[in-house]
Amino acid sequence: TMGGIVTTTPKLIAIHIPPAFEIVTQSGHHLILRTARQMSIAERGHALMELEKTLRASFNDQLEVFLEPMGDTNALRVRLRGVRVQ
């Protein structure tokens, strides 16, 4: 690493990513992932924390792992967005 920035190639980091996740992007010391399969909130949280701990130990102690933000997938809320009740 140089100055807290991850200089490891994405391919090298990618081999440490479990099949439950996919890399969306890597920028500086931020790694953004998405889930590749359905996971409970508890399972996902534990897996992300363990992955971050492993990657920090292997590459850079400043590396931060984030999950890609998801939009609202609730069909009712999406349909009612902007509807006013009088």
Side-chain angles (χ1 to χ4, degrees):
T1 64
M2 299 175 72
I5 299 205
V6 175
T7 56
T8 309
T9 64
K11 285 184 181 181
L12 188 56
I13 287 181
I15 63 173
H16 291 348
I17 304 298
F21 297 102
E22 300 170 347
I23 296 176
V24 175
T25 187
Q26 176 186 343
S27 176
H29 60 272
H30 293 154
L31 182 64
I32 300 176
L33 306 174
R34 75 171 53 107
T35 55
R37 63 175 177 84
Q38 274 304 105
M39 298 165 70
S40 71
I41 294 170
E43 179 186 12
R44 186 175 59 230
H46 178 73
L48 283 169
M49 288 179 67
E50 288 300 312
L51 176 59
E52 184 175 78
K53 188 184 337 177
T54 300
L55 292 175
R56 282 181 170 193
S58 299
F59 300 110
N60 180 334
D61 64 351
Q62 294 181 356
L63 185 70
E64 295 179 298
V65 176
F66 298 95
L67 195 59
E68 178 181 47
M70 290 179 47
D72 190 347
T73 57
N74 182 295
L76 180 58
R77 279 195 300 265
V78 169
R79 283 197 325 256
L80 294 177
R81 193 166 284 137
V83 173
R84 293 185 183 186
V85 178
Q86 296 182 357

